[in-house]
Amino acid sequence: MDLAVIILTYNEEKHIGRCLESMRQVSDEIYIVDAFSTDGTVAIAESYGAKVFQHTWVNYAQQFQWGLDNCGIQASWVMRMDSDEYLEPALIAEINEKVQGLPAEVSGVYIRRKVLFKGKWIRHGGFYPHNLLRIWRNRIGSIEQRWMDEHIVLSEGKTAQFKEHIVDYNLNAIHWWVNKHNNYAIREMVDLLNIKYGLLSADKRLLEMESTQAKKKRFLKERVYSSLSPGMRASFYFMYRYILRFGFMDGYHGFVFHFMQGYWYRLLVDVNLEEFERKLNGDKGKEKMLAVLKEDYNIVLN
């Protein structure tokens, strides 16, 4: 199959074998960009024939773009996967059947993703169907340079939609999930700071693409959600997901997921943002903000 896959890893021995077991059914060119794992991730990846590169982590966007630029991809098509994801058998068949026969004007493929939380498929609350651009022609796609919620964008061409699914199912304990979202909250805070104060040159390429689910969500986040008052927007967002988008139909595990991811996490982002602005002591100059990010959060913005 003329398809290369890039997967970012750091201490993913619990998931990487499951991911690679499905990926080697669609690709002979699998690249791991590892952030110097200390567990068995690298050994497992190599046992599946993956080519492993190691690179110091800054954020997801920079790490993935480094992989695109430095892995020496030879295939005509490239696919993005996370280590805690895998392909359903029907998607394996669909990729093998359809990718090579796509029309020349098609440069990217959207794939549906199922999110499982504690074994429960999260089907409501706006989480399904979740369409993501995951396959694209080599050298046509690159990743947005953002600290959070980064997407692949195309320099040219049209897109196609596949029917079958990637499954996102993380097997780690809830305390790991909480720690991950603690880190996400800092990255999301940086994006909100950038929207509010223009600390960085914003990557606007997604908003310039054809109408997509990701584009609509980005527009709502930057133009509507970010304009609401902190704290209140977390409450509104949770009620929107849990009531208006029928999140309550996902049962107990769905409630935990929608509450934690749709309220607790969003409130945590706002608390971090409020705390950051207090640390400025009224000085909202760019130099002061960059200094606080570096000294207190170990984040260096270029």
Side-chain angles (χ1 to χ4, degrees):
M1 180 67 176
D2 192 20
L3 173 71
V5 182
I6 297 181
I7 306 167
L8 306 188
T9 59
Y10 178 70
N11 288 350
E12 289 288 354
E13 65 179 5
K14 188 175 290 187
H15 302 108
I16 193 61
R18 182 187 66 182
C19 178
L20 293 175
E21 186 63 41
S22 67
M23 294 314 305
R24 67 180 181 178
Q25 297 179 64
V26 299
S27 175
D28 297 321
E29 194 178 332
I30 301 175
Y31 300 98
I32 302 293
V33 182
D34 183 72
F36 297 94
S37 292
T38 57
D39 64 359
T41 297
V42 171
I44 295 170
E46 290 176 338
S47 74
Y48 279 88
K51 298 178 182 178
V52 178
F53 295 78
Q54 290 191 302
H55 186 254
T56 301
W57 181 272
V58 176
N59 60 37
Y60 191 104
Q62 291 190 33
Q63 190 82 336
F64 195 87
Q65 190 61 48
W66 185 93
L68 286 175
D69 295 339
N70 292 278
C71 287
I73 297 170
Q74 299 299 311
S76 301
W77 293 87
V78 183
M79 185 172 186
R80 169 185 176 182
M81 284 288 288
D82 289 342
S83 53
D84 58 358
E85 296 174 335
Y86 60 92
L87 311 182
E88 289 191 333
L91 179 58
I92 292 171
E94 187 172 25
I95 289 172
N96 288 330
E97 176 186 344
K98 293 183 178 180
V99 168
Q100 299 306 320
L102 289 169
E105 65 268 20
V106 172
S107 297
V109 178
Y110 283 90
I111 299 177
R112 292 173 177 163
R113 183 181 68 175
K114 292 180 179 178
V115 174
L116 273 62
F117 180 75
K118 303 302 176 187
K120 170 71 177 181
W121 179 10
I122 305 300
R123 301 186 64 173
H124 304 283
F127 255 70
Y128 182 83
H130 195 181
N131 298 308
L132 298 167
L133 184 62
R134 287 300 189 95
I135 297 176
W136 61 94
R137 292 189 188 274
N138 194 3
R139 289 178 283 277
I140 298 297
S142 58
I143 195 164
E144 293 180 287
Q145 289 305 299
R146 302 171 56 88
W147 279 82
M148 191 67 187
D149 193 31
E150 56 288 306
H151 292 268
I152 296 294
V153 291
L154 303 176
S155 60
E156 60 182 71
K158 298 180 180 180
T159 59
Q161 174 73 58
F162 279 6
K163 176 184 177 182
E164 302 301 337
H165 301 86
I166 289 172
V167 179
D168 178 334
Y169 185 16
N170 192 287
L171 302 173
N172 285 309
I174 190 66
H175 72 84
W176 180 93
W177 190 95
V178 169
N179 288 337
K180 181 183 78 168
H181 280 76
N182 272 324
N183 292 326
Y184 280 0
I186 300 300
R187 290 162 51 186
E188 186 103 27
M189 178 191 75
V190 173
D191 271 352
L192 287 175
L193 285 170
N194 199 36
I195 293 170
K196 189 173 183 178
Y197 297 108
L199 296 179
L200 295 168
S201 297
D203 191 335
K204 299 288 188 180
R205 291 177 296 161
L206 182 70
L207 296 177
E208 296 167 359
M209 287 180 62
E210 62 186 350
S211 181
T212 64
Q213 185 182 54
K215 179 179 178 178
K216 292 174 184 176
K217 287 184 176 180
R218 177 67 53 75
F219 178 85
L220 289 171
K221 178 181 177 181
E222 295 190 355
R223 304 295 175 85
V224 180
Y225 182 85
S226 66
S227 67
L228 298 174
S229 63
M232 182 177 291
R233 58 192 175 197
S235 299
F236 281 156
Y237 182 59
F238 171 69
M239 294 299 291
Y240 166 76
R241 274 176 53 169
Y242 197 67
I243 304 298
L244 297 181
R245 296 302 302 271
F246 304 106
F248 62 88
M249 295 182 67
D250 285 322
Y252 169 72
H253 285 112
F255 168 75
V256 174
F257 179 81
H258 292 300
F259 180 81
M260 295 291 288
Q261 207 270 347
Y263 180 75
W264 170 81
Y265 166 66
R266 293 292 167 182
L267 185 62
L268 182 64
V269 173
D270 286 340
V271 171
N272 275 292
L273 182 61
E274 181 185 19
E275 183 179 75
F276 176 87
E277 291 183 322
R278 284 204 310 270
K279 291 178 180 181
L280 299 176
N281 292 319
D283 182 355
K284 295 185 178 180
K286 183 176 180 179
E287 289 187 5
K288 176 66 172 181
M289 292 187 190
L290 295 179
V292 172
L293 284 172
K294 181 179 180 180
E295 293 169 9
D296 291 10
Y297 300 92
N298 197 31
I299 290 177
V300 178
L301 301 184
N302 297 319

